[in-house]
Amino acid sequence: MKALYFNRFGDSDVLEYGDIKIPNIGENDVLIKTEYIGLNFADIYRRRGNYHIEDNQPYINGYEASGQIIKVGANLKENLLGKSVLFVDVPFANAEYVKAPSDHLIMLPNGIDTKKAATIGLQGLTADFLANNLGQNKAADNVFITGISGGVGQLLSQILSAKGVYVSGSVSSKLKQKAALSLGANQVYLNCDKAIWQPKLISKVDTVYDGVGSTLAESISLLKNRGKVIFFGMAGGKPENIDLIDLLTHSKSILTGDLWDYLTTFEERQFRSERLFKLISDGKIKTSEPTIFPLSEGKAAHDFLESGKNIGKILLKTD
Ligand SMILES: NC(=O)c1ccc[n+]([C@@H]2O[C@H](COP(=O)([O-])OP(=O)(O)OC[C@H]3O[C@@H](n4cnc5c(N)ncnc54)[C@H](OP(=O)(O)O)[C@@H]3O)[C@@H](O)[C@H]2O)c1
């Protein structure tokens, strides 16, 4: 089968596209013919050698894809064959065929095709646990999202808007501002105008969702006393050290979370994805059209993600 892989850590030049063996499945596994593979920031961290990656020669990136079940293990029901599924936490996804444990499958309901499922995928489930487990915002809360036009930002913004939360956020370009406003954000600020809008938001915000990371200190400054920053990623670089005593003095908190700690059973994966899919079928969440690269052009896809120019999801398509 064809796969995108690398033998050493580094910039996108280390990526190669070529032939490797189709994996053997165990009795509780299925074999999936992938259609759309999600490209995520974590894949960049892994390629650079800054993040956990499954030990394998060669290294194969990716944990998220949608496709069809084409083989089932001896302990599983035959009627799984042909079903459309999504997974977001199975290694070696940058390949035409992926072995997945059956309890890691997310079954797709009618109306959600493999492209839509991969577009929502990991970002949608992340937005789900950030909003419902960490943020727990109430209607009329004042919330700010850094990089609001990104994959997680778009979905999080809509999940919160559907709860009646007042959602604002920041972006780096007018194109991204337009995209975030078209998905229902109340107010979207340009980073280049920070000197104007940021002082007006100091101590006004209940919750900041920060997946940019390098902005953490600024995010804390926007909080009201008793407010919280939900720090969930470092797309813009590592945050500087935070003064805990300063946080304590103003009763401010920082919460963190990793999706994989919120997807621990088949039931949890199903429950969270059904909640998301319902928001989509109810018309409460829209997604912007994903940018799709053939898997063979994985290097171009990595370069595009690292350029910070994308709006929404990047997918790799197998033949
Ligand atoms: N905790 C978890 O479980 C979990 C799960 C999934 C993702 N994440 C994290 O969530 C964050 C957002 O992920 P995503 O999939 O939504 O990514 P994305 O679609 O690429 O969005 C990230 C946003 O970050 C901003 N950004 C700031 N500096 C950047 C830089 N140097 N390079 C690229 N983007 C930069 C960009 O917005 P502007 O250009 O408007 O600033 C971009 O739209 C990432 O940090 C990711 O690692 C965490």
Side-chain angles (χ1 to χ4, degrees):
M1 68 170 177
K2 295 289 185 204
L4 185 70
Y5 55 81
F6 52 99
N7 285 293
R8 59 191 169 82
F9 299 121
D11 64 23
S12 61
D13 289 334
V14 301
L15 294 168
E16 294 175 51
Y17 181 71
D19 289 299
I20 58 165
K21 271 175 61 183
I22 295 179
N24 293 322
I25 61 168
E27 49 195 17
N28 293 312
D29 298 328
V30 300
L31 188 68
I32 297 167
K33 165 85 180 74
T34 58
E35 290 174 17
Y36 295 95
I37 301 165
L39 179 65
N40 295 293
F41 250 97
D43 298 316
I44 306 289
Y45 309 148
R46 286 189 199 101
R47 192 205 67 216
R48 291 179 188 153
N50 297 336
Y51 206 55
H52 166 79
I53 183 161
E54 220 68 29
D55 204 9
N56 195 61
Q57 274 313 314
Y59 292 115
I60 304 168
N61 221 330
Y63 281 76
E64 176 192 24
S66 61
Q68 307 263 331
I69 298 178
I70 59 153
K71 203 170 179 184
V72 297
N75 284 349
L76 303 176
K77 293 197 177 122
E78 285 281 316
N79 68 1
L80 281 172
L81 278 174
K83 295 265 192 253
S84 294
V85 292
L86 167 73
F87 61 82
V88 299
D89 56 352
V90 176
F92 312 131
N94 282 189
E96 284 182 302
Y97 298 92
V98 176
K99 171 180 89 164
S102 60
D103 60 348
H104 285 236
L105 298 176
I106 293 171
M107 312 309 292
L108 301 190
N110 290 337
I112 303 286
D113 61 21
T114 49
K115 182 175 162 196
K116 179 64 95 183
T119 304
I120 300 156
L122 189 139
Q123 275 83 1
L125 290 160
T126 301
D128 178 89
F129 92 83
L130 292 175
N132 293 310
N133 293 87
L134 299 186
Q136 299 187 11
N137 295 107
K138 304 178 297 303
D141 271 6
N142 190 357
V143 158
F144 188 93
I145 304 173
T146 60
I148 191 170
S149 76
V152 176
Q154 285 188 9
L155 293 158
L156 179 59
S157 151
Q158 296 177 86
I159 291 174
L160 293 170
S161 293
K163 292 175 189 277
V165 169
Y166 182 89
V167 178
S168 63
S170 56
V171 288
S172 61
S173 72
K174 288 207 163 154
L175 208 60
K176 291 185 172 193
Q177 183 182 44
K178 201 170 153 206
L181 287 169
S182 75
L183 293 173
N186 296 92
Q187 182 89 47
V188 180
Y189 301 98
L190 288 169
N191 289 336
C192 59
D193 294 338
K194 217 175 239 185
I196 301 165
W197 57 263
Q198 207 172 53
K200 294 182 191 157
L201 289 186
I202 302 276
S203 309
K204 296 278 185 336
V205 176
D206 295 292
T207 306
V208 181
Y209 291 87
D210 190 337
V212 171
S214 52
T215 43
L216 186 60
E218 293 169 28
S219 296
I220 292 168
S221 75
L222 302 188
L223 294 178
K224 296 173 182 170
N225 288 10
R226 293 167 64 165
K228 57 183 178 283
V229 171
I230 295 169
F231 164 55
F232 65 96
M234 300 167 287
K238 275 191 176 175
E240 58 193 67
N241 287 337
I242 298 303
D243 181 352
L244 286 178
I245 313 280
D246 192 43
L247 285 183
L248 168 66
T249 318
H250 300 97
S251 306
K252 296 180 179 181
S253 311
I254 301 180
L255 300 183
T256 65
D258 189 289
L259 175 62
W260 289 5
D261 292 318
Y262 289 86
L263 290 183
T264 50
T265 60
F266 178 79
E267 288 69 28
E268 192 165 32
R269 290 178 185 87
Q270 222 54 36
F271 161 72
R272 290 187 186 284
S273 55
E274 276 166 19
R275 180 159 59 187
L276 267 176
F277 294 149
K278 177 153 187 347
L279 284 170
I280 287 166
S281 55
D282 289 351
K284 292 189 172 149
I285 289 186
K286 295 195 199 90
T287 49
S288 58
E289 198 51 28
T291 307
I292 301 177
F293 292 83
L295 182 60
S296 56
E297 289 174 26
K299 175 183 157 33
H302 274 235
D303 290 341
F304 185 58
L305 179 57
E306 285 181 274
S307 76
K309 288 192 189 125
N310 69 303
I311 296 178
K313 185 83 176 193
I314 299 176
L315 298 176
L316 303 167
K317 173 110 181 64
T318 55
D319 285 337

